[in-house]
Every structure is written in structure tokens, then in C-alpha cells.
Amino acid sequence: MATSKHDPFASPDRLRPLISTEEIQKRCRELGAQISADYRGSDLLLVSVLKGGFIFLADLVRHITIPMELDFMRVRSYGSRTESSGVVEITADLTGPVEGKRVLFVEDIVDTGLTMTYLMRNIATRHPVDVKVCSLLYKPERKLVDVPIAYLGFTIPNQFVVGYGLDYDEKYRNLPYIATMDDEPPG
Ligand code: IMP
């Protein structure tokens, strides 16, 4: 969908850096080390939720130093461009069973928590050893349901963010850092 010229986020000069590339890389190193220690000797399966989680996954796995597998799920969350409704459809599923494996979801952001709650429940019915979540970002002010985030990158304020995989209307995923977007000035 094309953004209109009245779109509050259409202009790149409304991007405000929030978390730098360096800060993200440092956190990826720390989380990778922690995950490697915690899952040593386990049958670890990382599950990335597309599309938003793809850059975080790619950086994180390069800091995981134990044998692991990875797979992808793709979901569609119904709602407006900036609000999820909690109605989630799995549009691409895992390629194999998770029975006997320890599943670690790798997400870009837990916002209301509705998407991750749905996915954790869905995977739990498939008899994994356990299911945990690693999320780059968490917006506590938006929480509707509690999601236990075992590995968290950053807690952020209640602002819409883009970059490092996160989009607004499919744009800005390629920014190498996380930015907030200012609303259109009044008048
Ligand atoms: P939740 O179900 O409300 O927790 O939101 C889940 C999904 O909404 C995330 O995986 C993102 O794809 C999207 N989302 C939530 N907040 C933002 C944001 O600030 N920027 C971009 N996408 C977001």
C-alpha cells in the first residue's frame, strides 16, 4: 500500500534514532552468550516470526555457540497498520515437528502480547520439551496479556518504532538501527 502525502510517517526526517546499531550488536552478543549457556546439551530449535524478526535472528544466531536448528513461521495479525487486533493467522508453518525439542521464539517486539500468546499456545500443543521467548523489544505500557520473555533486548516507551526488521506499512525494515517516528506536526 502506498503512503499518502498526508501520511504522518511518510517523511524520513520524522525518524528519530532510539537504539543504535552498536547497542543492538552488544545486546545480541550478550543474549547469544546467555542462550548458549542456558541451552547447552539441549535440542534447541529457534523459531523466527517473519517478517519482523529476520534481522534480529540473523545477528543473534551468529552469537550462539552451541548446535541448534532454526525454522520460520509467518503470521498475519489483523488490525490497522500500527495496532494489532489479536486475531492471528499462521500463513506459513514450521517445516517439521517440535516434539522433544526446546523451542525458543525469536521475535522483533512484544507489544500487546497477543501474537506471542497465540503462538506459544499453538506450539505447546505440539509437545515440545518447553517453549520460551526471546524478544528484541518490549513495550510494557501496551501490554494486554502477560508474555514471559525469557531473553529481552530492550524495554521501550509506548511509541511506534521502525527499523532493524520492523516496518511501517512494509517500509523501513532495512534501517540498521531502531527509530521512533514523530507524528505530523499540528496544523
Ligand atoms: P502484538 O501482538 O501486539 O504483541 O504485536 C505483535 C506484532 O505487531 C509485532 O511482531 C510487530 O510485527 C507488530 N508491532 C507491534 N508494535 C510495533 C511497532 O512499534 N513497530 C512495528 N511493528 C510493531
Side-chain angles (χ1 to χ4, degrees), residues 105-138:
F105 275 108
V106 178
E107 250 290 36
D108 52 357
I109 185 165
V110 174
D111 187 32
T112 62
L114 293 169
T115 305
M116 204 26 78
T117 299
Y118 175 88
L119 289 175
M120 287 182 84
R121 285 196 185 135
N122 182 291
I123 292 298
T125 64
R126 306 183 199 188
H127 310 295
V129 173
D130 61 7
V131 188
K132 291 189 177 169
V133 176
C134 173
S135 183
L136 179 67
L137 305 174
Y138 174 49

PDB file of all heavy atoms in Angstrom, residues 105-138:
ATOM      1  N   PHE A 105      11.281 -18.946  20.652  1.00  0.00           N
ATOM      2  CA  PHE A 105      10.806 -17.981  19.656  1.00  0.00           C
ATOM      3  C   PHE A 105      11.731 -16.769  19.635  1.00  0.00           C
ATOM      4  O   PHE A 105      12.123 -16.266  20.693  1.00  0.00           O
ATOM      5  CB  PHE A 105       9.395 -17.488  20.008  1.00  0.00           C
ATOM      6  CG  PHE A 105       8.296 -18.366  19.513  1.00  0.00           C
ATOM      7  CD1 PHE A 105       7.555 -19.142  20.387  1.00  0.00           C
ATOM      8  CD2 PHE A 105       7.992 -18.401  18.156  1.00  0.00           C
ATOM      9  CE1 PHE A 105       6.536 -19.955  19.916  1.00  0.00           C
ATOM     10  CE2 PHE A 105       6.970 -19.209  17.682  1.00  0.00           C
ATOM     11  CZ  PHE A 105       6.238 -19.993  18.566  1.00  0.00           C
ATOM     12  N   VAL A 106      12.045 -16.297  18.446  1.00  0.00           N
ATOM     13  CA  VAL A 106      12.830 -15.073  18.312  1.00  0.00           C
ATOM     14  C   VAL A 106      11.928 -14.038  17.635  1.00  0.00           C
ATOM     15  O   VAL A 106      11.565 -14.180  16.468  1.00  0.00           O
ATOM     16  CB  VAL A 106      14.097 -15.311  17.480  1.00  0.00           C
ATOM     17  CG1 VAL A 106      14.876 -14.011  17.305  1.00  0.00           C
ATOM     18  CG2 VAL A 106      14.976 -16.346  18.165  1.00  0.00           C
ATOM     19  N   GLU A 107      11.533 -13.034  18.406  1.00  0.00           N
ATOM     20  CA  GLU A 107      10.562 -12.041  17.950  1.00  0.00           C
ATOM     21  C   GLU A 107      11.203 -10.659  17.871  1.00  0.00           C
ATOM     22  O   GLU A 107      12.163 -10.375  18.589  1.00  0.00           O
ATOM     23  CB  GLU A 107       9.407 -11.956  18.962  1.00  0.00           C
ATOM     24  CG  GLU A 107       8.083 -12.498  18.500  1.00  0.00           C
ATOM     25  CD  GLU A 107       7.404 -11.669  17.417  1.00  0.00           C
ATOM     26  OE1 GLU A 107       8.086 -11.101  16.538  1.00  0.00           O
ATOM     27  OE2 GLU A 107       6.174 -11.603  17.433  1.00  0.00           O
ATOM     28  N   ASP A 108      10.644  -9.816  17.039  1.00  0.00           N
ATOM     29  CA  ASP A 108      11.113  -8.439  16.975  1.00  0.00           C
ATOM     30  C   ASP A 108      10.607  -7.630  18.165  1.00  0.00           C
ATOM     31  O   ASP A 108      11.354  -6.929  18.819  1.00  0.00           O
ATOM     32  CB  ASP A 108      10.707  -7.771  15.647  1.00  0.00           C
ATOM     33  CG  ASP A 108       9.216  -7.904  15.333  1.00  0.00           C
ATOM     34  OD1 ASP A 108       8.471  -8.562  16.097  1.00  0.00           O
ATOM     35  OD2 ASP A 108       8.787  -7.344  14.305  1.00  0.00           O
ATOM     36  N   ILE A 109       9.302  -7.757  18.452  1.00  0.00           N
ATOM     37  CA  ILE A 109       8.725  -6.920  19.507  1.00  0.00           C
ATOM     38  C   ILE A 109       7.507  -7.601  20.122  1.00  0.00           C
ATOM     39  O   ILE A 109       6.732  -8.242  19.413  1.00  0.00           O
ATOM     40  CB  ILE A 109       8.341  -5.520  18.934  1.00  0.00           C
ATOM     41  CG1 ILE A 109       7.856  -4.569  20.027  1.00  0.00           C
ATOM     42  CG2 ILE A 109       7.318  -5.622  17.824  1.00  0.00           C
ATOM     43  CD1 ILE A 109       7.822  -3.100  19.594  1.00  0.00           C
ATOM     44  N   VAL A 110       7.406  -7.505  21.436  1.00  0.00           N
ATOM     45  CA  VAL A 110       6.168  -7.888  22.115  1.00  0.00           C
ATOM     46  C   VAL A 110       5.486  -6.577  22.496  1.00  0.00           C
ATOM     47  O   VAL A 110       6.027  -5.779  23.263  1.00  0.00           O
ATOM     48  CB  VAL A 110       6.437  -8.772  23.351  1.00  0.00           C
ATOM     49  CG1 VAL A 110       5.142  -9.014  24.112  1.00  0.00           C
ATOM     50  CG2 VAL A 110       7.065 -10.097  22.928  1.00  0.00           C
ATOM     51  N   ASP A 111       4.325  -6.372  21.912  1.00  0.00           N
ATOM     52  CA  ASP A 111       3.604  -5.107  22.065  1.00  0.00           C
ATOM     53  C   ASP A 111       2.406  -5.387  22.987  1.00  0.00           C
ATOM     54  O   ASP A 111       2.550  -5.370  24.202  1.00  0.00           O
ATOM     55  CB  ASP A 111       3.204  -4.653  20.652  1.00  0.00           C
ATOM     56  CG  ASP A 111       2.591  -3.272  20.601  1.00  0.00           C
ATOM     57  OD1 ASP A 111       2.961  -2.424  21.408  1.00  0.00           O
ATOM     58  OD2 ASP A 111       1.732  -3.035  19.733  1.00  0.00           O
ATOM     59  N   THR A 112       1.245  -5.728  22.448  1.00  0.00           N
ATOM     60  CA  THR A 112       0.124  -6.124  23.316  1.00  0.00           C
ATOM     61  C   THR A 112       0.373  -7.506  23.916  1.00  0.00           C
ATOM     62  O   THR A 112      -0.208  -7.854  24.936  1.00  0.00           O
ATOM     63  CB  THR A 112      -1.194  -6.178  22.527  1.00  0.00           C
ATOM     64  OG1 THR A 112      -1.079  -7.164  21.492  1.00  0.00           O
ATOM     65  CG2 THR A 112      -1.531  -4.830  21.915  1.00  0.00           C
ATOM     66  N   GLY A 113       1.188  -8.315  23.240  1.00  0.00           N
ATOM     67  CA  GLY A 113       1.445  -9.684  23.697  1.00  0.00           C
ATOM     68  C   GLY A 113       0.506 -10.706  23.066  1.00  0.00           C
ATOM     69  O   GLY A 113       0.666 -11.914  23.265  1.00  0.00           O
ATOM     70  N   LEU A 114      -0.453 -10.243  22.301  1.00  0.00           N
ATOM     71  CA  LEU A 114      -1.477 -11.157  21.761  1.00  0.00           C
ATOM     72  C   LEU A 114      -0.889 -12.144  20.751  1.00  0.00           C
ATOM     73  O   LEU A 114      -1.210 -13.332  20.774  1.00  0.00           O
ATOM     74  CB  LEU A 114      -2.614 -10.338  21.112  1.00  0.00           C
ATOM     75  CG  LEU A 114      -3.432  -9.504  22.105  1.00  0.00           C
ATOM     76  CD1 LEU A 114      -4.346  -8.516  21.369  1.00  0.00           C
ATOM     77  CD2 LEU A 114      -4.270 -10.402  23.009  1.00  0.00           C
ATOM     78  N   THR A 115      -0.019 -11.677  19.873  1.00  0.00           N
ATOM     79  CA  THR A 115       0.557 -12.563  18.851  1.00  0.00           C
ATOM     80  C   THR A 115       1.377 -13.673  19.507  1.00  0.00           C
ATOM     81  O   THR A 115       1.222 -14.855  19.197  1.00  0.00           O
ATOM     82  CB  THR A 115       1.461 -11.757  17.886  1.00  0.00           C
ATOM     83  OG1 THR A 115       0.684 -10.683  17.349  1.00  0.00           O
ATOM     84  CG2 THR A 115       1.990 -12.621  16.761  1.00  0.00           C
ATOM     85  N   MET A 116       2.255 -13.298  20.429  1.00  0.00           N
ATOM     86  CA  MET A 116       3.134 -14.294  21.035  1.00  0.00           C
ATOM     87  C   MET A 116       2.362 -15.266  21.908  1.00  0.00           C
ATOM     88  O   MET A 116       2.663 -16.457  21.930  1.00  0.00           O
ATOM     89  CB  MET A 116       4.224 -13.563  21.841  1.00  0.00           C
ATOM     90  CG  MET A 116       5.476 -14.332  22.049  1.00  0.00           C
ATOM     91  SD  MET A 116       5.930 -15.596  20.868  1.00  0.00           S
ATOM     92  CE  MET A 116       6.587 -14.661  19.550  1.00  0.00           C
ATOM     93  N   THR A 117       1.333 -14.784  22.594  1.00  0.00           N
ATOM     94  CA  THR A 117       0.495 -15.678  23.402  1.00  0.00           C
ATOM     95  C   THR A 117      -0.142 -16.731  22.507  1.00  0.00           C
ATOM     96  O   THR A 117      -0.132 -17.927  22.824  1.00  0.00           O
ATOM     97  CB  THR A 117      -0.599 -14.867  24.128  1.00  0.00           C
ATOM     98  OG1 THR A 117       0.052 -13.934  24.972  1.00  0.00           O
ATOM     99  CG2 THR A 117      -1.508 -15.756  24.957  1.00  0.00           C
ATOM    100  N   TYR A 118      -0.651 -16.303  21.380  1.00  0.00           N
ATOM    101  CA  TYR A 118      -1.279 -17.233  20.436  1.00  0.00           C
ATOM    102  C   TYR A 118      -0.258 -18.268  19.952  1.00  0.00           C
ATOM    103  O   TYR A 118      -0.521 -19.468  19.935  1.00  0.00           O
ATOM    104  CB  TYR A 118      -1.859 -16.445  19.250  1.00  0.00           C
ATOM    105  CG  TYR A 118      -2.422 -17.339  18.177  1.00  0.00           C
ATOM    106  CD1 TYR A 118      -3.741 -17.781  18.226  1.00  0.00           C
ATOM    107  CD2 TYR A 118      -1.622 -17.778  17.120  1.00  0.00           C
ATOM    108  CE1 TYR A 118      -4.240 -18.644  17.254  1.00  0.00           C
ATOM    109  CE2 TYR A 118      -2.110 -18.632  16.150  1.00  0.00           C
ATOM    110  CZ  TYR A 118      -3.422 -19.051  16.221  1.00  0.00           C
ATOM    111  OH  TYR A 118      -3.908 -19.896  15.267  1.00  0.00           O
ATOM    112  N   LEU A 119       0.915 -17.799  19.566  1.00  0.00           N
ATOM    113  CA  LEU A 119       1.922 -18.720  19.018  1.00  0.00           C
ATOM    114  C   LEU A 119       2.456 -19.694  20.073  1.00  0.00           C
ATOM    115  O   LEU A 119       2.659 -20.870  19.793  1.00  0.00           O
ATOM    116  CB  LEU A 119       3.083 -17.925  18.409  1.00  0.00           C
ATOM    117  CG  LEU A 119       2.739 -17.199  17.111  1.00  0.00           C
ATOM    118  CD1 LEU A 119       3.913 -16.349  16.648  1.00  0.00           C
ATOM    119  CD2 LEU A 119       2.338 -18.188  16.015  1.00  0.00           C
ATOM    120  N   MET A 120       2.658 -19.211  21.288  1.00  0.00           N
ATOM    121  CA  MET A 120       3.155 -20.107  22.346  1.00  0.00           C
ATOM    122  C   MET A 120       2.140 -21.209  22.638  1.00  0.00           C
ATOM    123  O   MET A 120       2.494 -22.367  22.803  1.00  0.00           O
ATOM    124  CB  MET A 120       3.442 -19.313  23.624  1.00  0.00           C
ATOM    125  CG  MET A 120       4.687 -18.465  23.515  1.00  0.00           C
ATOM    126  SD  MET A 120       5.020 -17.583  25.043  1.00  0.00           S
ATOM    127  CE  MET A 120       5.910 -18.821  25.972  1.00  0.00           C
ATOM    128  N   ARG A 121       0.867 -20.832  22.681  1.00  0.00           N
ATOM    129  CA  ARG A 121      -0.181 -21.849  22.924  1.00  0.00           C
ATOM    130  C   ARG A 121      -0.234 -22.846  21.777  1.00  0.00           C
ATOM    131  O   ARG A 121      -0.376 -24.044  21.981  1.00  0.00           O
ATOM    132  CB  ARG A 121      -1.548 -21.163  23.050  1.00  0.00           C
ATOM    133  CG  ARG A 121      -1.695 -20.476  24.367  1.00  0.00           C
ATOM    134  CD  ARG A 121      -3.157 -20.150  24.657  1.00  0.00           C
ATOM    135  NE  ARG A 121      -3.241 -19.377  25.874  1.00  0.00           N
ATOM    136  CZ  ARG A 121      -3.983 -18.302  26.036  1.00  0.00           C
ATOM    137  NH1 ARG A 121      -4.752 -17.861  25.053  1.00  0.00           N
ATOM    138  NH2 ARG A 121      -3.988 -17.662  27.178  1.00  0.00           N
ATOM    139  N   ASN A 122      -0.116 -22.342  20.567  1.00  0.00           N
ATOM    140  CA  ASN A 122      -0.179 -23.213  19.395  1.00  0.00           C
ATOM    141  C   ASN A 122       0.964 -24.230  19.419  1.00  0.00           C
ATOM    142  O   ASN A 122       0.750 -25.435  19.235  1.00  0.00           O
ATOM    143  CB  ASN A 122      -0.123 -22.335  18.133  1.00  0.00           C
ATOM    144  CG  ASN A 122      -0.220 -23.150  16.873  1.00  0.00           C
ATOM    145  OD1 ASN A 122       0.704 -23.886  16.553  1.00  0.00           O
ATOM    146  ND2 ASN A 122      -1.346 -23.056  16.170  1.00  0.00           N
ATOM    147  N   ILE A 123       2.176 -23.760  19.689  1.00  0.00           N
ATOM    148  CA  ILE A 123       3.340 -24.662  19.684  1.00  0.00           C
ATOM    149  C   ILE A 123       3.274 -25.640  20.863  1.00  0.00           C
ATOM    150  O   ILE A 123       3.656 -26.803  20.738  1.00  0.00           O
ATOM    151  CB  ILE A 123       4.655 -23.842  19.714  1.00  0.00           C
ATOM    152  CG1 ILE A 123       4.824 -23.075  18.394  1.00  0.00           C
ATOM    153  CG2 ILE A 123       5.878 -24.715  19.975  1.00  0.00           C
ATOM    154  CD1 ILE A 123       4.934 -23.940  17.151  1.00  0.00           C
ATOM    155  N   ALA A 124       2.749 -25.182  21.997  1.00  0.00           N
ATOM    156  CA  ALA A 124       2.664 -26.050  23.176  1.00  0.00           C
ATOM    157  C   ALA A 124       1.827 -27.298  22.896  1.00  0.00           C
ATOM    158  O   ALA A 124       2.081 -28.361  23.464  1.00  0.00           O
ATOM    159  CB  ALA A 124       2.094 -25.280  24.359  1.00  0.00           C
ATOM    160  N   THR A 125       0.846 -27.205  22.008  1.00  0.00           N
ATOM    161  CA  THR A 125       0.003 -28.374  21.680  1.00  0.00           C
ATOM    162  C   THR A 125       0.782 -29.419  20.881  1.00  0.00           C
ATOM    163  O   THR A 125       0.319 -30.528  20.690  1.00  0.00           O
ATOM    164  CB  THR A 125      -1.238 -27.970  20.848  1.00  0.00           C
ATOM    165  OG1 THR A 125      -0.794 -27.460  19.581  1.00  0.00           O
ATOM    166  CG2 THR A 125      -2.091 -26.935  21.556  1.00  0.00           C
ATOM    167  N   ARG A 126       1.983 -29.042  20.389  1.00  0.00           N
ATOM    168  CA  ARG A 126       2.762 -29.974  19.554  1.00  0.00           C
ATOM    169  C   ARG A 126       3.833 -30.741  20.349  1.00  0.00           C
ATOM    170  O   ARG A 126       4.742 -31.322  19.765  1.00  0.00           O
ATOM    171  CB  ARG A 126       3.420 -29.200  18.406  1.00  0.00           C
ATOM    172  CG  ARG A 126       2.419 -28.373  17.589  1.00  0.00           C
ATOM    173  CD  ARG A 126       3.097 -27.699  16.429  1.00  0.00           C
ATOM    174  NE  ARG A 126       2.316 -26.594  15.900  1.00  0.00           N
ATOM    175  CZ  ARG A 126       2.618 -25.933  14.799  1.00  0.00           C
ATOM    176  NH1 ARG A 126       3.700 -26.263  14.106  1.00  0.00           N
ATOM    177  NH2 ARG A 126       1.871 -24.929  14.374  1.00  0.00           N
ATOM    178  N   HIS A 127       3.739 -30.671  21.673  1.00  0.00           N
ATOM    179  CA  HIS A 127       4.594 -31.452  22.584  1.00  0.00           C
ATOM    180  C   HIS A 127       6.098 -31.176  22.500  1.00  0.00           C
ATOM    181  O   HIS A 127       6.904 -32.112  22.439  1.00  0.00           O
ATOM    182  CB  HIS A 127       4.335 -32.954  22.392  1.00  0.00           C
ATOM    183  CG  HIS A 127       2.881 -33.289  22.430  1.00  0.00           C
ATOM    184  ND1 HIS A 127       2.111 -33.122  23.555  1.00  0.00           N
ATOM    185  CD2 HIS A 127       2.049 -33.733  21.459  1.00  0.00           C
ATOM    186  CE1 HIS A 127       0.874 -33.452  23.285  1.00  0.00           C
ATOM    187  NE2 HIS A 127       0.793 -33.828  22.023  1.00  0.00           N
ATOM    188  N   PRO A 128       6.492 -29.898  22.534  1.00  0.00           N
ATOM    189  CA  PRO A 128       7.932 -29.626  22.683  1.00  0.00           C
ATOM    190  C   PRO A 128       8.329 -29.874  24.140  1.00  0.00           C
ATOM    191  O   PRO A 128       7.451 -30.033  25.007  1.00  0.00           O
ATOM    192  CB  PRO A 128       8.030 -28.130  22.360  1.00  0.00           C
ATOM    193  CG  PRO A 128       6.715 -27.590  22.806  1.00  0.00           C
ATOM    194  CD  PRO A 128       5.692 -28.678  22.563  1.00  0.00           C
ATOM    195  N   VAL A 129       9.627 -29.897  24.420  1.00  0.00           N
ATOM    196  CA  VAL A 129      10.080 -30.007  25.815  1.00  0.00           C
ATOM    197  C   VAL A 129       9.674 -28.739  26.573  1.00  0.00           C
ATOM    198  O   VAL A 129       9.139 -28.792  27.671  1.00  0.00           O
ATOM    199  CB  VAL A 129      11.612 -30.222  25.874  1.00  0.00           C
ATOM    200  CG1 VAL A 129      12.126 -30.157  27.309  1.00  0.00           C
ATOM    201  CG2 VAL A 129      11.980 -31.545  25.220  1.00  0.00           C
ATOM    202  N   ASP A 130       9.942 -27.594  25.986  1.00  0.00           N
ATOM    203  CA  ASP A 130       9.453 -26.329  26.532  1.00  0.00           C
ATOM    204  C   ASP A 130       9.445 -25.260  25.438  1.00  0.00           C
ATOM    205  O   ASP A 130       9.986 -25.477  24.345  1.00  0.00           O
ATOM    206  CB  ASP A 130      10.245 -25.870  27.777  1.00  0.00           C
ATOM    207  CG  ASP A 130      11.723 -25.614  27.522  1.00  0.00           C
ATOM    208  OD1 ASP A 130      12.157 -25.661  26.356  1.00  0.00           O
ATOM    209  OD2 ASP A 130      12.449 -25.351  28.492  1.00  0.00           O
ATOM    210  N   VAL A 131       8.783 -24.146  25.736  1.00  0.00           N
ATOM    211  CA  VAL A 131       8.679 -23.034  24.779  1.00  0.00           C
ATOM    212  C   VAL A 131       9.005 -21.747  25.511  1.00  0.00           C
ATOM    213  O   VAL A 131       8.378 -21.446  26.535  1.00  0.00           O
ATOM    214  CB  VAL A 131       7.245 -22.879  24.203  1.00  0.00           C
ATOM    215  CG1 VAL A 131       7.233 -21.842  23.079  1.00  0.00           C
ATOM    216  CG2 VAL A 131       6.676 -24.181  23.738  1.00  0.00           C
ATOM    217  N   LYS A 132       9.986 -21.004  25.005  1.00  0.00           N
ATOM    218  CA  LYS A 132      10.326 -19.718  25.618  1.00  0.00           C
ATOM    219  C   LYS A 132      10.407 -18.642  24.537  1.00  0.00           C
ATOM    220  O   LYS A 132      10.369 -18.953  23.343  1.00  0.00           O
ATOM    221  CB  LYS A 132      11.645 -19.824  26.379  1.00  0.00           C
ATOM    222  CG  LYS A 132      11.500 -20.701  27.606  1.00  0.00           C
ATOM    223  CD  LYS A 132      12.712 -20.653  28.493  1.00  0.00           C
ATOM    224  CE  LYS A 132      12.433 -21.514  29.724  1.00  0.00           C
ATOM    225  NZ  LYS A 132      13.627 -21.728  30.519  1.00  0.00           N
ATOM    226  N   VAL A 133      10.557 -17.409  25.000  1.00  0.00           N
ATOM    227  CA  VAL A 133      10.565 -16.275  24.067  1.00  0.00           C
ATOM    228  C   VAL A 133      11.822 -15.438  24.254  1.00  0.00           C
ATOM    229  O   VAL A 133      12.213 -15.125  25.382  1.00  0.00           O
ATOM    230  CB  VAL A 133       9.324 -15.372  24.292  1.00  0.00           C
ATOM    231  CG1 VAL A 133       9.372 -14.137  23.393  1.00  0.00           C
ATOM    232  CG2 VAL A 133       8.039 -16.148  24.063  1.00  0.00           C
ATOM    233  N   CYS A 134      12.415 -15.083  23.113  1.00  0.00           N
ATOM    234  CA  CYS A 134      13.494 -14.093  23.086  1.00  0.00           C
ATOM    235  C   CYS A 134      12.977 -12.953  22.223  1.00  0.00           C
ATOM    236  O   CYS A 134      12.675 -13.156  21.046  1.00  0.00           O
ATOM    237  CB  CYS A 134      14.744 -14.708  22.465  1.00  0.00           C
ATOM    238  SG  CYS A 134      16.078 -13.515  22.190  1.00  0.00           S
ATOM    239  N   SER A 135      12.813 -11.780  22.807  1.00  0.00           N
ATOM    240  CA  SER A 135      12.289 -10.652  22.032  1.00  0.00           C
ATOM    241  C   SER A 135      13.276  -9.487  22.091  1.00  0.00           C
ATOM    242  O   SER A 135      13.793  -9.161  23.166  1.00  0.00           O
ATOM    243  CB  SER A 135      10.927 -10.210  22.578  1.00  0.00           C
ATOM    244  OG  SER A 135      10.405  -9.165  21.785  1.00  0.00           O
ATOM    245  N   LEU A 136      13.506  -8.882  20.953  1.00  0.00           N
ATOM    246  CA  LEU A 136      14.414  -7.732  20.934  1.00  0.00           C
ATOM    247  C   LEU A 136      13.829  -6.572  21.730  1.00  0.00           C
ATOM    248  O   LEU A 136      14.524  -5.925  22.493  1.00  0.00           O
ATOM    249  CB  LEU A 136      14.682  -7.295  19.486  1.00  0.00           C
ATOM    250  CG  LEU A 136      15.592  -6.084  19.348  1.00  0.00           C
ATOM    251  CD1 LEU A 136      17.015  -6.395  19.814  1.00  0.00           C
ATOM    252  CD2 LEU A 136      15.608  -5.562  17.924  1.00  0.00           C
ATOM    253  N   LEU A 137      12.520  -6.334  21.558  1.00  0.00           N
ATOM    254  CA  LEU A 137      11.892  -5.167  22.183  1.00  0.00           C
ATOM    255  C   LEU A 137      10.636  -5.562  22.952  1.00  0.00           C
ATOM    256  O   LEU A 137       9.958  -6.537  22.605  1.00  0.00           O
ATOM    257  CB  LEU A 137      11.497  -4.133  21.116  1.00  0.00           C
ATOM    258  CG  LEU A 137      12.598  -3.641  20.180  1.00  0.00           C
ATOM    259  CD1 LEU A 137      12.003  -2.751  19.098  1.00  0.00           C
ATOM    260  CD2 LEU A 137      13.679  -2.892  20.951  1.00  0.00           C
ATOM    261  N   TYR A 138      10.322  -4.752  23.957  1.00  0.00           N
ATOM    262  CA  TYR A 138       9.100  -4.953  24.742  1.00  0.00           C
ATOM    263  C   TYR A 138       8.557  -3.582  25.119  1.00  0.00           C
ATOM    264  O   TYR A 138       9.289  -2.722  25.589  1.00  0.00           O
ATOM    265  CB  TYR A 138       9.430  -5.756  26.007  1.00  0.00           C
ATOM    266  CG  TYR A 138       8.282  -5.920  26.975  1.00  0.00           C
ATOM    267  CD1 TYR A 138       7.023  -6.353  26.536  1.00  0.00           C
ATOM    268  CD2 TYR A 138       8.442  -5.645  28.338  1.00  0.00           C
ATOM    269  CE1 TYR A 138       5.973  -6.513  27.432  1.00  0.00           C
ATOM    270  CE2 TYR A 138       7.394  -5.811  29.244  1.00  0.00           C
ATOM    271  CZ  TYR A 138       6.167  -6.239  28.775  1.00  0.00           C
ATOM    272  OH  TYR A 138       5.130  -6.397  29.662  1.00  0.00           O
TER     273      TYR A 138
END
